[in-house]
């Protein structure tokens, strides 16, 4: 038997002021996108903003449905739009902000597992890391230099 240890590195910024400039701009776009989330069932509002290597910024937010599983997270709303409109562009970074009507979100809120899988697909497709910044409504911001840190042992096309 052999034990394998898996390590991930994240960077934690105290607040928006501490973020590098490119992170602040994108996080502000995620804040704006969050305002248009359609989340009448969970009251949990998420905004995502993606910067592409052609300079375009794509935003998305969660879209819920009375048939709950038919809804979609903010990150996938944004990334699938980017993939459909700009199939050849690379995604440089993603900023995500999540807030709730029920309580103040003041710690970094990471993307769900399904969104990590979706982001991984594009990171592998473009063969270049995607930086990910995530936070609540206020407070600290977490940054990962690549999706790999958030989804070790990824399921990818190499096994198909
Ligand atoms: N949600 C996102 O938009 N992104 C995530 O990564 C986690 C969850 C949404 C889905 C649902 O509309 C609400 O947040 C509560 O789960």
């Amino acid at each position: 038997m052999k034990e394998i240890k898996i390590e991930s590195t994240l960077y934690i910024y105290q607040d928006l002021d501490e973020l590098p400039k490119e992170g602040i701009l994108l996080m502000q776009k995620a804040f704006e996108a969050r305002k248009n989330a359609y989340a009448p069932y969970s009251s949990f509002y998420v905004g995502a903003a993606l910067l592409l290597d052609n300079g375009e910024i794509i935003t998305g937010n969660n879209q819920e449905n009375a048939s709950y599983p038919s809804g979609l997270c903010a990150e996938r709303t944004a990334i699938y739009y980017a993939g459909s409109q700009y199939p050849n562009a690379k995604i440089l970074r993603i900023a995500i902000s999540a807030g709730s009507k029920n309580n103040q979100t003041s710690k970094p809120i990471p993307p769900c597992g399904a969104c990590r899988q979706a982001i991984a697909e594009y990171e592998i497709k473009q063969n270049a890391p995607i930086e990910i910044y995530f936070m609540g409504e206020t407070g600290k911001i977490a940054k990962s230099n690549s999706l790999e840190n958030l989804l070790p042992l990824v399921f990818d096309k190499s096994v198909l």
Side-chain angles (χ1 to χ4, degrees):
M1 197 270 277
K2 190 178 149 202
E3 183 180 298
I4 297 173
K5 285 215 163 56
I6 299 172
E7 269 192 2
S8 284
T9 304
L10 289 181
Y11 301 92
I12 306 296
Y13 298 89
Q14 282 307 112
D15 51 33
L16 282 176
D17 291 337
E18 213 197 331
L19 272 190
K21 214 171 68 199
E22 64 272 13
I24 300 179
L25 174 77
L26 210 57
M27 192 55 86
Q28 281 164 347
K29 295 282 182 191
F31 278 21
E32 279 170 36
R34 199 183 66 217
K35 291 185 197 148
N36 292 332
Y38 176 60
Y41 304 106
S42 71
S43 297
F44 194 77
Y45 301 84
V46 186
L50 272 68
L51 176 67
L52 306 182
D53 67 351
N54 62 12
E56 289 284 336
I57 291 179
I58 305 296
T59 62
N61 42 49
N62 49 327
Q63 297 294 315
E64 296 188 349
N65 193 282
S67 172
Y68 293 2
S70 300
L72 195 64
C73 290
E75 298 87 329
R76 278 175 287 160
T77 301
I79 208 163
Y80 290 150
Y81 182 81
S84 66
Q85 297 302 306
Y86 302 100
N88 300 318
K90 289 188 178 176
I91 301 163
L92 300 180
R93 63 183 64 90
I94 301 179
I96 305 160
S97 167
S100 169
K101 222 193 229 171
N102 305 322
N103 50 48
Q104 171 84 356
T105 52
S106 53
K107 61 176 189 188
I109 299 180
C112 78
C115 288
R116 294 181 207 192
Q117 182 70 32
I119 298 167
E121 183 71 26
Y122 290 90
E123 186 167 275
I124 292 162
K125 175 184 171 230
Q126 70 183 30
N127 195 26
I130 299 176
E131 287 181 358
I132 303 171
Y133 292 85
F134 54 92
M135 69 178 293
E137 268 181 283
T138 59
K140 294 179 184 169
I141 301 110
K143 181 200 174 195
S144 170
N145 281 340
S146 157
L147 189 276
E148 256 187 341
N149 287 306
L150 301 181
L151 192 61
L153 304 180
V154 68
F155 179 90
D156 65 18
K157 63 182 179 187
S158 68
V159 301
L160 297 179

